[in-house]
C-alpha cells in the first residue's frame, strides 16, 4: 500500500470520527501528493523516495511555522501546527536517536575522508543521501560541522 492509499483510508476514518486535526493533516498530505504527481516529468506517479522528501518538507514547514507562532505568542495557531505535525510525522520512517546519528555521521565523515570544516560539503553530500528520512537536515548539518571542527 503506497502513501496515497494509506492517506485515503485514514482520511475516510477521520471523516467518520470527525477528527479535525487528522483531517487537516491528511488533507495537506493528499494535496502535496496530487501536486507532486501533476508536476512536469512526474508521469502521474511518485516513488517512495519522493514521498519521503515530500513528507520531510511538510514537517519542516510545520516546524518553522510552529516556531514563528510560539515567538509571536499565538498558542491557538501553534496548537494547530503541532497537531498537523503529529499526523504527518506518523508517515515518516523512525528517526535516529542522537547517539545513533552521531555514530552514523562519524562513519560517513571517515568514509569520505573529510578532515576539516573545509570538507563540510563533501561530508554533507554523503550524509544527506545516506540518512535521508532518518534524520533532520539541520541536525545532520550541525553534527557534521561539530565533528569536523573538533577534528581540525
Amino acid at each position: 500500500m503506497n502513501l496515497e492509499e494509506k492517506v485515503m483510508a485514514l482520511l475516510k476514518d477521520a471523516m467518520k470520527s470527525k477528527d479535525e486535526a487528522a483531517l487537516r493533516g491528511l488533507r495537506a498530505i493528499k494535496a502535496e501528493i496530487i501536486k507532486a504527481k501533476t508536476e512536469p516529468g512526474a508521469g502521474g506517479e511518485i516513488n517512495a523516495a519522493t514521498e519521503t522528501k515530500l513528507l520531510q518538507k511538510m514537517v519542516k514547514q510545520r516546524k518553522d511555522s510552529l516556531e514563528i507562532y510560539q515567538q509571536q505568542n499565538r498558542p491557538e495557531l501553534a496548537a494547530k501546527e503541532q497537531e498537523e505535525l503529529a499526523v504527518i510525522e506518523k508517515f515518516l520512517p523512525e528517526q535516529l536517536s542522537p547517539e545513533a546519528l552521531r555514530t552514523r555521521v562519524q562513519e560517513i565523515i571517515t568514509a569520505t575522508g573529510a578532515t576539516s570544516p573545509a570538507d563540510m560539503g563533501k561530508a554533507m553530500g554523503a550524509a544527506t543521501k545516506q540518512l535521508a528520512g532518518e534524520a533532520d537536515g539541520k541536525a545532520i548539518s550541525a553534527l557534521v560541522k561539530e565533528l569536523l571542527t573538533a577534528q581540525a
Side-chain angles (χ1 to χ4, degrees), residues 3-36:
L3 179 64
E4 187 174 17
E5 292 167 350
K6 289 178 190 173
V7 169
M8 291 307 293
L10 290 172
L11 195 57
K12 288 177 188 174
D13 293 340
M15 284 180 185
K16 289 177 185 174
S17 64
K18 296 183 181 3
D19 184 349
E20 289 297 319
L23 278 171
R24 279 194 317 273
L26 293 168
R27 283 179 176 149
I29 295 170
K30 181 182 171 191
E32 288 296 321
I33 290 170
I34 291 170
K35 189 169 128 184

Side-chain angles (χ1 to χ4, degrees), residues 77-133:
L77 294 174
K80 284 186 176 186
E81 291 295 326
Q82 186 65 50
E83 291 169 348
E84 287 181 28
L85 183 61
V87 171
I88 296 166
E89 284 180 331
K90 289 178 189 175
F91 295 98
L92 282 173
E94 182 93 18
Q95 299 291 296
L96 290 173
S97 68
E99 298 81 27
L101 179 61
R102 179 175 286 277
T103 303
R104 295 274 304 273
V105 168
Q106 187 61 57
E107 290 169 359
I108 292 166
I109 288 173
T110 304
T112 59
T115 56
S116 70
D119 298 326
M120 187 164 172
K122 181 168 47 171
M124 275 301 296
T128 52
K129 281 182 186 169
Q130 290 183 32
L131 301 173

Side-chain angles (χ1 to χ4, degrees), residues 31-46 50 53-54 57:
E32 288 296 321
I33 290 170
I34 291 170
K35 189 169 128 184
K37 286 172 69 174
T38 58
E39 285 181 359
E45 291 295 320
I46 56 174
T50 306
K53 282 183 184 178
L54 184 129
K57 177 181 149 196

